[in-house]
Amino acid sequence: MRGHPVPLGFVFRSRAKEEKAQVADKAPVTDSKQPRDPQAPKGRPTPKRSEAQSQRRSVANTSTTRKDAAKRQREERRVQLEKQRQALAGGDERYLPARDKGPVRKFARNFVDARFNVAEFFLPMAVVILVLSMVRVASMQSIALMLWLVVIVLIVLDSIVSGFRLRKQLNERFPDQNKRGAIPYALMRSLQMRRLRLPKPQVKRGERS
């Protein structure tokens, strides 16, 4: 009895089923009971609970550390400003602002504070002149205008003389130190009334530096 021929399609389908079965047998078995983090990207393992808690604690500690650092900086700045305020009142060189530090600036302050400066009386004289100029009398207004001119001329002349004298003494006492800005610093101080000057005067009138 002659056997019937086996269709080729049936042979290929049988081999394909066998290969799929072998691939399925070799595939790793995953634990379907482990829940997947809904926020975790597909294809990545879900982080453990201990790791997640550790990350949260790290973020919280970092935030607390930054707050503490900012608080310390504010406290240090407040202490520094308080020391500067006390130094301006007492003359402590260690905590004075940068523009007031150094032996050159100290000498310039003492030079101004030890003498009478025309410029320091500018404010009270300006008040008197202003009152005179408000009087509805032509002669009084003329006097006020003349006083303005006299005061301005005296201040300019006194400042020029003081500047030359201070420059000469600075060059003699501090030949090798930086004296830049010391003259304008002293002249600006001379424009202020003595009791309003900061740092506070450390010498008396007529006292030599």
Side-chain angles (χ1 to χ4, degrees), residues 50-70:
S50 60
E51 294 178 356
Q53 291 177 351
S54 177
Q55 292 176 358
R56 287 195 293 270
R57 283 196 296 268
S58 178
V59 173
N61 291 337
T62 301
S63 178
T64 303
T65 302
R66 289 178 180 175
K67 289 181 180 178
D68 292 341

Side-chain angles (χ1 to χ4, degrees), residues 167-179:
R167 186 185 300 277
K168 181 180 178 181
Q169 294 190 27
L170 287 175
N171 289 333
E172 292 175 353
R173 294 185 177 233
F174 310 98
D176 300 327
Q177 295 194 31
N178 182 16
K179 297 175 283 293

Side-chain angles (χ1 to χ4, degrees), residues 6-14:
V6 180
L8 294 177
F10 176 77
V11 174
F12 288 123
R13 283 196 299 269
S14 299

Side-chain angles (χ1 to χ4, degrees), residues 2-205:
R2 183 179 294 179
H4 296 282
V6 180
L8 294 177
F10 176 77
V11 174
F12 288 123
R13 283 196 299 269
S14 299
R15 290 181 180 178
K17 291 181 179 180
E18 292 177 0
E19 291 176 356
K20 289 181 180 180
Q22 291 177 0
V23 172
D25 292 338
K26 293 179 180 180
V29 179
T30 57
D31 187 5
S32 60
K33 294 182 180 180
Q34 182 179 0
R36 187 179 68 84
D37 188 355
Q39 298 181 354
K42 293 183 179 180
R44 297 184 183 178
T46 303
K48 294 181 181 180
R49 179 179 299 177
S50 60
E51 294 178 356
Q53 291 177 351
S54 177
Q55 292 176 358
R56 287 195 293 270
R57 283 196 296 268
S58 178
V59 173
N61 291 337
T62 301
S63 178
T64 303
T65 302
R66 289 178 180 175
K67 289 181 180 178
D68 292 341
K71 184 177 180 180
R72 285 196 300 270
Q73 289 179 356
R74 289 195 298 269
E75 182 63 21
E76 290 174 359
R77 180 171 177 78
R78 187 189 67 79
V79 173
Q80 185 65 24
L81 291 175
E82 178 62 21
K83 288 181 178 179
Q84 284 188 4
R85 187 188 67 79
Q86 294 178 358
L88 290 172
D92 191 344
E93 279 283 329
R94 295 175 299 171
Y95 304 111
L96 285 176
R99 69 181 181 87
D100 299 309
K101 280 186 176 181
V104 174
R105 297 300 174 96
K106 182 178 181 180
F107 183 85
R109 290 197 301 272
N110 292 342
F111 177 86
V112 172
D113 296 337
R115 62 191 299 272
F116 285 95
N117 304 277
V118 178
E120 68 181 284
F121 302 105
F122 172 76
L123 186 59
M125 287 188 296
V127 173
V128 173
I129 294 171
L130 181 61
V131 172
L132 291 176
S133 64
M134 296 176 63
V135 177
R136 299 294 182 177
V137 178
S139 60
M140 297 297 290
Q141 292 181 350
S142 298
I143 293 173
L145 180 59
M146 184 63 65
L147 285 176
W148 268 121
L149 295 176
V150 171
V151 168
I152 292 174
V153 170
L154 288 177
I155 290 175
V156 171
L157 291 177
D158 185 59
S159 298
I160 292 174
V161 173
S162 298
F164 276 114
R165 290 181 57 196
L166 178 58
R167 186 185 300 277
K168 181 180 178 181
Q169 294 190 27
L170 287 175
N171 289 333
E172 292 175 353
R173 294 185 177 233
F174 310 98
D176 300 327
Q177 295 194 31
N178 182 16
K179 297 175 283 293
R180 183 177 180 181
I183 305 301
Y185 173 78
L187 294 180
M188 289 299 297
R189 185 174 179 86
S190 69
L191 288 170
Q192 302 169 355
M193 298 179 68
R194 181 181 171 87
R195 66 172 178 273
L196 300 179
R197 294 171 184 169
L198 291 175
K200 293 291 186 182
Q202 302 296 313
V203 295
K204 298 179 180 179
R205 300 274 194 185

